[in-house]
Amino acid sequence: MTRIKHNIQILSEEFKEDDIELSDKLNIQLRNVIILIIAGILSLNNLAIASSEINSNRYGFNFVAAGDWGCDKKAHETVNHMQNKSPELVLALGDLSYQKDADCWFQMMSPLINKTKMVFGDHEYNFKNSSRLDEYFQKFNLTKQYYSFDYGNVHFLAMSSEVPFDKDSKQYSFVNEDLKSASENKSINWIVAYIYEMLYTSPTFHKPTDTIRDIYHPIFDKYHVDLVLQAHSHNYQRTYPIKYNDKDPSNPIITDKNEGE
């Protein structure tokens, strides 16, 4: 299958956090790319557009992603930016509301909430405030913190870093079976996984979750996951296309630097 290079736009007029500013446009080859994005917007335009080798009757769509929201002025600006992109799908990458309940986030997201698919962060999975967790389960009609869905010819896998994910867990079995099925499905041309905690990160306040990385990155490689979205650190980062390095797991192997593109 031919992998297509797409334009990724990072949209934020005022966003600046941890002295890292978002660039206006990025061009990357989407294959085993890991992106960490907080408080801005990741807009992957026409991700499902077909190449000459892909069935031409499949049309593209737009989706946006952001994490660690809150309900402050910048969060409202993020929602406005998202609306301006007219996305068909919104991925909420965790830590949605920092209030005692989710009301402010639901109200802020009301223009987009019916298009939204979420994953859970540590501020959702807080035993001191279980009512907020229940609000998200009810709002998004969820029974588990991990699930998957297809949109066009893209398969999305929502994972949870807040419930057991070890090799004996139900989530591990689900992820393996789900990705195997998606990779064998001829109607699926892209696989996108998203999770709250980070597999990799540049030096920042939060460290990566090594156990998630060491368990799941080899699985992502095995089943040809194209893109991984993550949150938790309040800045924007992206990787080159990479694969797992079993000899030195904290230093993944770059497979393509997109030189000459």
Side-chain angles (χ1 to χ4, degrees):
M1 172 173 37
T2 298
R3 298 291 171 175
I4 315 164
K5 186 180 77 173
H6 290 276
N7 186 45
I8 293 185
Q9 295 181 313
I10 307 303
L11 309 174
S12 179
E13 294 179 354
E14 300 182 9
F15 174 79
K16 182 178 180 182
E17 197 153 342
D18 295 345
D19 295 322
I20 297 178
E21 294 191 25
L22 301 185
S23 61
D24 292 326
K25 288 189 177 182
L26 306 171
N27 287 311
I28 64 173
Q29 180 78 25
L30 289 183
R31 180 64 186 271
N32 305 113
V33 176
I34 295 179
I35 292 179
L36 181 151
I37 180 161
I38 312 298
I41 301 175
L42 175 65
S43 177
L44 280 74
N45 294 317
N46 298 323
L47 178 62
I49 283 183
S51 73
S52 59
E53 296 185 16
I54 300 176
N55 193 335
S56 61
N57 64 5
R58 293 181 182 139
Y59 296 95
F61 67 93
N62 298 331
F63 75 89
V64 293
D68 295 75
W69 299 65
C71 299
D72 62 7
K73 178 182 176 181
K74 288 188 176 181
H76 282 269
E77 291 174 354
T78 294
V79 174
N80 289 336
H81 287 321
M82 285 184 165
Q83 286 184 270
N84 290 339
K85 296 302 294 181
S86 301
E88 286 87 353
L89 177 65
V90 178
L91 302 183
L93 305 180
D95 275 15
L96 309 184
S97 171
Y98 298 112
Q99 306 298 322
K100 290 183 178 181
D101 56 46
D103 289 351
C104 70
W105 192 81
F106 289 147
Q107 181 177 2
M108 179 183 70
M109 285 290 292
S110 58
L112 299 170
I113 198 69
N114 291 333
K115 304 176 180 180
T116 300
K117 301 284 189 178
M118 72 166 290
V119 292
F120 292 80
D122 55 356
H123 282 273
E124 279 78 55
Y125 201 69
N126 186 336
F127 288 105
K128 295 181 180 180
N129 190 352
S130 60
S131 63
R132 185 169 55 199
L133 179 66
D134 291 340
E135 287 182 73
Y136 293 119
F137 270 104
Q138 293 174 15
K139 187 71 171 180
F140 293 104
N141 194 28
L142 298 174
T143 58
K144 297 190 297 290
Q145 292 192 31
Y146 50 90
Y147 59 96
S148 66
F149 60 97
D150 295 336
Y151 198 107
N153 58 355
V154 183
H155 182 75
F156 292 90
L157 170 64
M159 299 171 59
S160 177
S161 55
E162 311 306 315
V163 295
F165 52 76
D166 59 274
K167 291 185 178 181
D168 294 324
S169 67
K170 292 181 179 180
Q171 179 171 199
Y172 177 83
S173 296
F174 173 83
V175 169
N176 264 283
E177 293 171 5
D178 181 80
L179 290 180
K180 181 178 186 296
S181 176
S183 69
E184 295 172 349
N185 187 341
K186 294 182 179 180
S187 67
I188 296 299
N189 298 117
W190 300 84
I191 302 177
V192 177
Y194 60 115
I195 187 171
Y196 177 68
E197 291 193 9
M198 306 166 293
L199 282 71
Y200 300 94
T201 181
S202 298
T204 186
F205 181 79
H206 294 296
K207 295 182 179 180
T209 306
D210 296 349
T211 48
I212 294 178
R213 176 197 68 205
D214 294 341
I215 292 172
Y216 289 101
H217 193 173
I219 299 174
F220 294 160
D221 287 344
K222 180 179 180 180
Y223 294 118
H224 309 296
V225 172
D226 296 285
L227 178 67
V228 178
L229 301 173
Q230 50 190 11
H232 197 29
S233 278
H234 291 201
N235 53 56
Y236 168 77
Q237 302 175 31
R238 67 184 176 110
T239 72
Y240 288 110
I242 55 176
K243 67 179 182 179
Y244 185 70
N245 186 350
D246 57 1
K247 295 180 179 179
D248 188 4
S250 64
N251 289 293
I253 299 168
I254 296 173
T255 60
D256 186 355
K257 288 190 176 182
N258 298 311
E259 294 175 343
E261 294 288 337

